[in-house]
Amino acid sequence: QVQLVESGGGLVQPGGSLRLSCAASGFTLSYYAIGWFRQIPGKEREGVSCISSSDRSTYYVDSVKGRFTISRDNRKNTVYLQMNSLKPEDTAVYYCARRPGGYCSSSTDYWGQGTQVTVSS
């Protein structure tokens, strides 16, 4: 069955770094775009980044541009989100989701369970 499992979250000080991983199983990762989202309790889920199936297109929300980098390793069935220069406002639960069709404009169909990122001194 299709599964997405996030890992790599944790507690980090402001200015620190984390690398999130989204491990995919049950489908051929190379055919799909993958998006990263985040959610703070009481707020709507926000799209943070996305990478197309071909790696030719990446997307970042303005608030993370220049600090976050999305990448994928289809041989390892994993998509990564490298997060540098973290700020307290980056604190959230981070989710990855599958986008059929290979494009970041596609709707999502499967989601992971999320990983908590807390940026605090």
Side-chain angles (χ1 to χ4, degrees):
Q1 69 277 23
V2 172
Q3 279 195 312
L4 297 167
V5 179
E6 302 94 338
S7 62
L11 173 64
V12 64
Q13 292 188 341
S17 298
L18 284 174
R19 188 176 78 157
L20 304 185
S21 298
C22 173
S25 61
F27 65 99
T28 303
L29 180 64
S30 60
Y31 294 163
Y32 294 86
I34 298 292
W36 282 98
F37 299 78
R38 64 187 179 187
Q39 188 167 26
I40 302 168
K43 293 194 175 183
E44 288 190 3
R45 194 170 292 184
E46 174 187 42
V48 175
S49 184
C50 182
I51 186 167
S52 67
S53 60
S54 67
D55 285 357
R56 293 174 185 167
S57 295
T58 56
Y59 160 84
Y60 300 94
V61 69
D62 285 347
S63 59
V64 309
K65 284 180 181 177
R67 300 189 298 122
F68 290 11
T69 303
I70 192 170
S71 63
R72 62 194 296 155
D73 186 340
N74 291 332
R75 293 171 299 176
K76 295 184 178 179
N77 291 325
T78 302
V79 174
Y80 304 98
L81 186 67
Q82 178 67 44
M83 305 188 298
N84 299 329
S85 302
L86 283 161
K87 304 175 180 180
E89 52 264 41
D90 294 318
T91 296
V93 178
Y94 284 72
Y95 301 87
C96 62
R98 191 179 80 165
R99 293 184 179 273
Y103 301 101
C104 287
S105 56
S106 302
S107 298
T108 57
D109 60 357
Y110 284 91
W111 291 76
Q113 82 291 346
T115 186
Q116 176 71 48
V117 171
T118 302
V119 185
S120 175
S121 55

